[in-house]
Amino acid sequence: MTDVERVEIEYCTQCRWLPRAAWLAQELLTTFEAELTELALKPGKGGVFVVRVGDEVVWDRREQGFPEPTAVKKAVRDRVAPGKSLGHSER
């Protein structure tokens, strides 16, 4: 397993953002079922909502707001499956 095949979603437990993180995880696992080897949900605090591919932050709520699934899918795709079509999500 290369680290780039691992996605981590760190979410704030104090803010009760587990359902949002789990929903995004489901979206990513469905889209990249053949490309990802692991997707982790990491409890955090202080309003955190960060998506990482390997060690690289691809989405940070503090800088970019809450992500639309399409934006995160594109960021993940660019790192784990460049050239993969996201179908209707890319329109």
Side-chain angles (χ1 to χ4, degrees):
M1 175 177 94
T2 64
D3 209 28
V4 77
E5 296 164 338
R6 180 183 193 272
V7 172
E8 175 184 280
I9 302 171
E10 184 177 3
Y11 65 94
C12 180
T13 57
Q14 298 165 313
C15 302
R16 305 276 187 230
W17 287 339
L18 172 59
R20 186 183 297 249
W23 175 70
L24 184 57
Q26 178 182 328
E27 289 288 312
L28 292 174
L29 286 169
T30 301
T31 302
F32 302 104
E33 61 187 10
E35 291 84 8
L36 298 181
T37 57
E38 180 179 1
L39 194 146
L41 295 177
K42 180 179 178 182
K45 294 185 178 178
V48 67
F49 197 92
V50 174
V51 180
R52 294 179 182 87
V53 176
D55 294 328
E56 180 184 0
V57 173
V58 297
W59 199 275
D60 187 335
R61 183 199 63 82
R62 292 182 197 273
E63 296 172 12
Q64 299 159 285
F66 273 112
E68 290 296 321
T70 301
V72 176
K73 286 179 183 182
K74 287 178 181 177
V76 170
R77 185 264 322 266
D78 291 348
R79 285 146 184 94
V80 303
K84 177 182 175 99
S85 171
L86 295 178
H88 70 276
S89 295
E90 289 197 280
R91 293 185 197 131

